[in-house]
Amino acid sequence: MDFGGKKYERGSNWSDPEVVELLQLWADESVQVELESCLRNQHVFNRIAEVLREKGIHRTGDQCREKIKKMKLEYRRIKDNSKAPRGGRTWKFYEVMDRVLTSRPALAYGPLGGSVMAQQVLQGSLVESYHHQFASPALPFGHSQHPELMEIKCEEVNSDEHCLTPEPPSSMSYQQGSPEEHEMERAFLERAQNDSPISRVEIPIETSVSPSGFSEPNMANSSRIQNVVPRPGFSALHRLRKKRKGQRVKDPLDDLLLKTLTSQRAMEERLLQMEERRFQRDLDVEERRMQLEQRRFELEREHEFRMFNVFAQMLSILKQSHSSSSSVSMPQGLDFSQALFEITGTGGGGGSLQEMKRRVNMHGFCNPSSFQRSPYLSARGNIASIFCGSTEEGYKAYHADKYDEDKNPNGIINFGTSENKLCFDLMSKRLTQTDMNLMEPPLLQYPDWKGHMFLREEVARFLTYYCKAPAPLKAENVIVLNGCGSLFSALATVLCDPGEAVLIATPFYGGITQSVFLYGNVKLVYAYLDSKITGTSTRPFQLTVEKLEKALQDARAEGVTVRALILLNPQNPLGDIYSLSELQDYLEFAKRHELHVIVDELYMLSVFDESATFHSVLGMDRLPDPQRTHVMWGISKDFAVSGIRFGTLYTENQDVANAVASLCYFHGVCGPVQHKVAQLLRDRDWINQVYLRANHARLKAAHTYVTDELKTLGVPFLNRNAGFFVWIDFRKYLRTATFEEELLLWRRFLDNKVLLSCGKAFECSEPGWFRIIFADKTHRLQLGMQRIRKVLEEAGAGDTGRGEGAALSVRSGWQSRQHR
């Protein structure tokens, strides 16, 4: 049904040439025969419409049928009102309709209990009123041309409105007429016989009533008609028919039919109203969306303008203070835009330039005093371009001068990047087996942005098994992105507004700072941990609820809104594994303050000693706040494939899942990699019997070698059994307990071709701590430790180390006491 306007009108707007073409096809003998010989004739009009389309007249079968019906109604109106002479002259198609319809079999009511008599008239060839034949050679009907014309089924309708919503007749059964009526009808029939040279045989046929209220003969019995004669006078017989209508008996089916047709009309009107409301609603929604989009665009422009002004003011101040010996950079725990406001004195507590310099440190950004703003970048682009710390500097130096046993034996050995280089043989063999090499069309097309369902189902089963979940995890709660760094960025963006913060304990993996800041402009609030063992802390750098409470209250006192808490388990760089009671305390704390909890369990299968037990948040019987608990995991660490960017998020909060999924468009995983990961996670026997056994044994051996070397050197360290790293205390090798001295020591290591990570890269509160990666081949470990030994021997023990000798001797026992 076409709802092009408020009122649906069929078969309208025909031009005269189009009507002429329609009449040519409809008046064809074969068309008339087929129209009369079948109970339903829609297919005939559909073929007429096809022929019209070939002639360039684009009409549907419904429009053709309705146009013919309207022309028949107009013809009947003129005929019944005895206006044939005058009406025939005023209506140009009257004569054509009259010649066709008067040559068709007439329907008359017989005297026997309402039965219908059919009469067909054989006449000579049709007198053409146009210069060409009506029959078209292109008409796709199977009948040959005959001179006689058959009458179509008559439908009593008074107006176009009856075409749309026909009313049923007052009764569907008929009474026998009176003797006078029978006599009158017999007179009509006798006069018809006298006028025709052909005898007539009357055969009663059954009558069916169409839903539109018109009677038509049952075509199953129409083949019994043998001879036909011209019909009697139409007007007199029509008046007799109308008189009989008044004598119909009330039939219970009439009410049912009337209600059905009325309901149908009401439904159509209701549907039209619903379509109009839906259209108007869509217009309103689109208008609101445009308004919101315009508002968002204006806010972004205002924000960029403010950032540009602040950035220009900062550069101006730095230029004025260029001669000063101290430098200005990012405050700890604050985002860059807020630091700019503090430096310029336009936000926060204001203060003098010297006071601002005292409150800032040098980590996170290049030295702004030597920075030149690029005219090709936006304010945010310039901020991103200066975001580089010592880790970036060392990583670039390593790739420029990478150690190779044969090609570059004097190159840099990388003990700073957390990668497992012990299992290349196992992974390369498994990833090149035949079941991994599948290439099907769905893998080369856009997937569901959350990830292919076959992969998400496999991740759910994998996490259920290895996290020891009390109930099977659901695939619809799994989202796949290209690495956990992208997951941190996406979660920070959807959970926090720009300028808000996330709470995290230090030291922590420094890449999180870039992940949450560069895209979402979300700052980090630090809960500082230290190496001192006190009454509440039974081990160095222990995270407690009291420390989280203090950091949260301090941030709120400064007007900072904290939205989430980040937990790393196992912890990077400390290697700590949280117990179930500790996890319960952290989650209860977050619930009290309505904080989201982002749990990073990236190293959960890299616990390489049987004496240490890992507990996943997903394995807890009950989560304090399931809707605000989100768990991350990936294959980079546990399967020694950091070059394959794959991370997964499990969350029961569908609002968070859908928001993160909208960002998966920028961080998706390609189809072939999704297939390989699914195959890898599905191979449970290989993982348990081959990979994990070999990986844990190799990690334990490498860890033992490095820690034994550190014991030989007399260097304190935290002895943990998870991850790829050892947290080392080099404080006694600093001349002064400052981060500047820590950076100098880091550069001496790099100059001697060994890359480590200094504590400032992890926001450690105590200068002098370093992280070393031990998950490497034996020959590189040996050479790297020799270079480290050389640097330490050259540096010697500084004043700080000599002044803290007693404390160091106590801490040297950490190896045995903290072995879990």
Side-chain angles (χ1 to χ4, degrees):
M1 185 175 289
D2 181 17
F3 296 99
K6 293 185 177 180
K7 181 178 179 183
Y8 174 53
E9 184 176 4
R10 299 176 294 180
S12 61
N13 300 328
W14 288 72
S15 64
D16 288 348
E18 292 176 342
V19 175
V20 171
E21 293 291 343
L22 175 63
L23 287 176
Q24 284 182 349
L25 301 176
W26 173 73
D28 185 88
E29 176 192 6
S30 61
V31 177
Q32 294 298 318
V33 170
E34 187 163 2
L35 287 172
E36 190 61 27
S37 63
C38 57
L39 185 60
R40 300 185 182 276
N41 54 26
Q42 181 61 41
H43 65 283
V44 180
F45 287 101
N46 289 339
R47 291 201 293 254
I48 291 176
E50 291 178 6
V51 176
L52 289 177
R53 282 194 291 272
E54 293 177 359
K55 296 183 177 185
I57 302 174
H58 297 279
R59 297 289 180 176
T60 64
D62 286 337
Q63 291 175 327
C64 295
R65 178 171 54 81
E66 295 302 324
K67 184 60 179 178
I68 291 296
K69 183 185 293 185
K70 289 184 178 181
M71 295 180 70
K72 287 164 58 180
L73 292 174
E74 180 66 16
Y75 167 77
R76 297 300 184 199
R77 184 184 66 80
I78 298 174
K79 190 79 172 179
D80 292 346
N81 294 333
S82 301
K83 297 179 181 179
R86 180 168 55 85
R89 288 190 297 271
T90 58
W91 190 41
K92 62 183 75 175
F93 303 113
Y94 177 83
E95 292 183 3
V96 178
M97 297 295 294
D98 184 62
R99 289 170 182 169
V100 175
L101 295 179
T102 54
S103 300
R104 296 291 305 281
L107 298 178
Y109 296 100
L112 300 176
S115 62
V116 181
M117 307 299 295
Q119 299 146 350
Q120 293 183 337
V121 182
L122 294 175
Q123 294 184 351
S125 300
L126 177 66
V127 178
E128 301 295 341
S129 60
Y130 296 94
H131 296 293
H132 51 276
Q133 295 291 333
F134 279 3
S136 171
L139 189 64
F141 297 94
H143 302 285
S144 60
Q145 179 74 15
H146 293 286
E148 60 269 22
L149 298 174
M150 306 297 291
E151 177 188 301
I152 70 167
K153 295 185 288 295
C154 300
E155 299 175 336
E156 298 177 0
V157 181
N158 296 327
S159 67
D160 288 350
E161 289 296 321
H162 290 94
C163 294
L164 295 176
T165 57
E167 295 292 333
S170 59
S171 176
M172 310 307 285
S173 62
Y174 304 96
Q175 292 180 334
Q176 281 189 333
S178 61
E180 293 80 1
E181 294 169 349
H182 296 167
E183 187 66 23
M184 183 182 298
E185 185 173 15
R186 190 177 299 108
F188 284 127
L189 298 176
E190 291 175 356
R191 187 176 66 178
Q193 289 176 343
N194 295 334
D195 294 340
S196 173
I198 305 174
S199 62
R200 182 189 67 176
V201 178
E202 297 180 354
I203 301 176
I205 62 175
E206 297 179 0
T207 302
S208 62
V209 180
S210 68
S212 58
F214 309 126
S215 298
E216 56 187 24
N218 187 331
M219 300 312 298
N221 296 326
S222 63
S223 60
R224 297 163 52 191
I225 299 177
Q226 297 176 353
N227 298 303
V228 294
V229 297
R231 57 184 295 173
F234 179 84
S235 299
L237 187 57
H238 187 64
R239 286 195 298 273
L240 177 60
R241 176 190 283 173
K242 294 175 68 175
K243 184 175 181 181
R244 283 180 177 274
K245 285 185 179 180
Q247 299 175 354
R248 292 174 181 169
V249 179
K250 185 67 174 179
D251 192 335
L253 294 176
D254 291 349
D255 293 337
L256 179 59
L257 182 59
L258 178 60
K259 292 179 180 179
T260 301
L261 295 175
T262 304
S263 300
Q264 181 180 359
R265 181 177 183 179
M267 289 173 62
E268 292 180 355
E269 293 177 351
R270 175 64 175 168
L271 185 58
L272 287 172
Q273 295 174 359
M274 292 174 63
E275 286 291 325
E276 291 178 1
R277 287 198 296 268
R278 183 187 65 80
F279 182 72
Q280 184 61 39
R281 186 171 62 253
D282 291 344
L283 291 178
D284 296 340
V285 171
E286 181 64 18
E287 183 178 358
R288 288 196 298 270
R289 189 190 69 80
M290 293 297 294
Q291 292 175 354
L292 292 175
E293 185 69 17
Q294 181 64 24
R295 178 58 179 164
R296 185 189 65 80
F297 177 76
E298 293 175 355
L299 291 176
E300 287 184 353
R301 296 289 293 181
E302 292 176 359
H303 176 70
E304 291 181 358
F305 182 73
R306 289 195 300 268
M307 290 292 294
F308 178 78
N309 287 338
V310 171
F311 192 79
Q313 295 176 26
M314 184 195 73
L315 292 178
S316 177
I317 293 175
L318 292 175
K319 185 177 180 180
Q320 295 175 5
S321 60
H322 182 66
S323 58
S324 177
S325 59
S326 59
S327 60
V328 181
S329 64
M330 280 290 296
Q332 295 182 0
L334 300 177
D335 70 315
F336 186 64
S337 60
Q338 181 173 343
L340 297 182
F341 280 103
E342 290 185 351
I343 292 172
T344 57
T346 57
S352 64
L353 179 60
Q354 295 300 324
E355 177 66 17
M356 293 300 116
K357 291 178 180 179
R358 186 185 62 81
R359 293 171 55 189
V360 299
N361 62 70
M362 295 186 60
H363 177 66
F365 289 83
C366 298
N367 189 350
S369 61
S370 60
F371 173 73
Q372 296 294 326
R373 178 182 179 276
S374 172
Y376 303 105
L377 299 177
S378 66
R380 288 180 296 180
N382 279 284
I383 292 172
S385 68
I386 67 173
F387 196 94
C388 62
S390 60
T391 55
E392 280 294 319
E393 181 182 349
Y395 195 66
K396 291 179 180 179
Y398 163 69
H399 278 279
D401 186 18
K402 187 182 299 186
Y403 169 83
D404 186 273
E405 186 176 6
D406 299 322
K407 299 179 181 179
N408 189 21
N410 294 322
I412 297 175
I413 295 177
N414 187 0
F415 288 169
T417 303
S418 183
E419 291 180 305
N420 185 349
K421 301 176 182 178
L422 297 172
C423 297
F424 174 78
D425 56 334
L426 300 176
M427 292 306 302
S428 61
K429 182 178 179 180
R430 182 65 189 92
L431 293 176
T432 54
Q433 292 181 359
T434 55
D435 64 320
M436 293 288 181
N437 300 324
L438 178 68
M439 198 62 63
E440 293 181 347
L443 300 179
L444 302 180
Q445 298 166 357
Y446 290 127
D448 179 349
W449 294 122
K450 292 182 179 180
H452 283 293
M453 182 53 70
F454 69 82
L455 173 60
R456 294 161 62 195
E457 291 173 350
E458 202 57 51
V459 169
R461 287 191 288 266
F462 180 88
L463 295 178
T464 300
Y465 178 80
Y466 287 102
C467 295
K468 298 180 175 58
L473 302 179
K474 299 178 181 179
E476 55 266 28
N477 297 335
V478 175
I479 305 171
V480 173
L481 277 78
N482 60 340
C484 289
S486 298
L487 279 171
F488 273 119
S489 177
L491 285 171
T493 301
V494 303
L495 299 180
C496 306
D497 288 325
E500 294 180 340
V502 177
L503 178 62
I504 190 171
T506 70
F508 64 90
Y509 166 60
I512 298 177
T513 304
Q514 290 172 284
S515 299
V516 303
F517 171 75
L518 286 182
Y519 276 174
N521 193 20
V522 175
K523 61 184 86 170
L524 291 175
V525 169
Y526 302 148
Y528 290 104
L529 309 181
D530 54 49
S531 60
K532 296 181 179 63
I533 299 177
T534 62
T536 58
S537 298
T538 60
R539 64 180 185 269
F541 298 101
Q542 182 177 358
L543 175 62
T544 62
V545 174
E546 290 77 10
K547 296 176 183 178
L548 293 175
E549 288 278 6
K550 182 179 184 305
L552 178 63
Q553 297 305 325
D554 291 345
R556 289 179 174 176
E558 296 178 3
V560 178
T561 301
V562 179
R563 294 294 187 187
L565 167 67
I566 294 178
L567 295 176
L568 310 178
N569 185 33
Q571 214 274 354
N572 180 7
L574 302 177
D576 278 337
I577 303 174
Y578 298 132
S579 64
L580 279 177
S581 60
E582 287 176 323
L583 288 174
Q584 188 71 30
D585 292 341
Y586 304 150
L587 296 178
E588 291 288 354
F589 159 78
K591 181 180 179 181
R592 287 196 303 272
H593 297 284
E594 296 184 347
L595 301 179
H596 290 268
V597 182
I598 304 171
V599 186
D600 180 356
E601 298 182 351
L602 193 58
Y603 294 91
M604 72 173 185
L605 298 182
S606 298
V607 180
F608 51 83
D609 196 295
E610 296 179 355
S611 62
T613 303
F614 170 77
H615 301 282
S616 172
V617 168
L618 296 177
M620 299 177 66
D621 293 332
R622 186 188 64 84
L623 293 175
D625 193 351
Q627 291 296 307
R628 287 190 174 91
T629 305
H630 321 292
V631 181
M632 297 165 46
W633 179 79
I635 66 172
S636 300
K637 312 300 182 181
D638 286 341
F639 285 97
V641 285
S642 55
I644 298 179
R645 307 306 301 135
F646 176 85
T648 183
L649 172 70
Y650 190 87
T651 177
E652 295 184 10
N653 190 319
Q654 290 305 308
D655 292 337
V656 174
N658 293 332
V660 171
S662 66
L663 299 177
C664 291
Y665 177 82
F666 309 105
H667 306 286
V669 180
C670 66
V673 170
Q674 293 194 42
H675 169 73
K676 288 180 181 291
V677 173
Q679 290 295 104
L680 178 65
L681 301 183
R682 186 178 294 117
D683 196 353
R684 202 75 52 79
D685 291 338
W686 179 85
I687 294 174
N688 293 332
Q689 303 301 325
V690 178
Y691 177 75
L692 288 182
R693 287 185 178 181
N695 184 42
H696 291 168
R698 295 175 185 181
L699 286 174
K700 185 173 183 179
H703 177 267
T704 301
Y705 173 78
V706 171
T707 54
D708 287 346
E709 288 293 314
L710 293 175
K711 293 176 185 177
T712 303
L713 293 173
V715 176
F717 61 91
L718 295 187
N719 195 0
R720 302 292 185 263
N721 299 298
F724 311 151
F725 27 76
V726 177
W727 191 238
I728 306 175
D729 183 4
F730 283 150
R731 288 182 294 176
K732 66 179 180 179
Y733 297 99
L734 303 182
R735 289 188 293 270
T736 58
T738 62
F739 287 107
E740 286 78 4
E741 280 295 315
E742 177 186 276
L743 185 60
L744 291 176
L745 179 60
W746 173 84
R747 291 190 181 279
R748 285 197 293 271
F749 284 125
L750 188 61
D751 292 340
N752 281 269
K753 302 302 180 70
V754 59
L755 174 62
L756 300 179
S757 297
C758 60
K760 191 56 185 175
F762 305 96
E763 291 298 335
C764 182
S765 60
E766 300 175 0
W769 290 88
F770 283 72
R771 188 191 72 174
I772 184 174
I773 302 299
F774 62 81
D776 208 335
K777 295 294 185 179
T778 303
H779 67 277
R780 284 194 290 267
L781 289 178
Q782 293 174 345
L783 181 58
M785 292 305 297
Q786 291 176 8
R787 294 176 180 180
I788 290 175
R789 178 189 295 270
K790 179 181 178 181
V791 172
L792 296 181
E793 290 175 351
E794 293 175 353
D799 296 335
T800 302
R802 288 188 293 271
E804 296 183 357
L808 286 172
S809 63
V810 173
R811 283 192 290 273
S812 64
W814 288 345
Q815 299 94 313
S816 58
R817 197 168 56 240
Q818 297 302 323
H819 187 80
R820 297 189 301 166

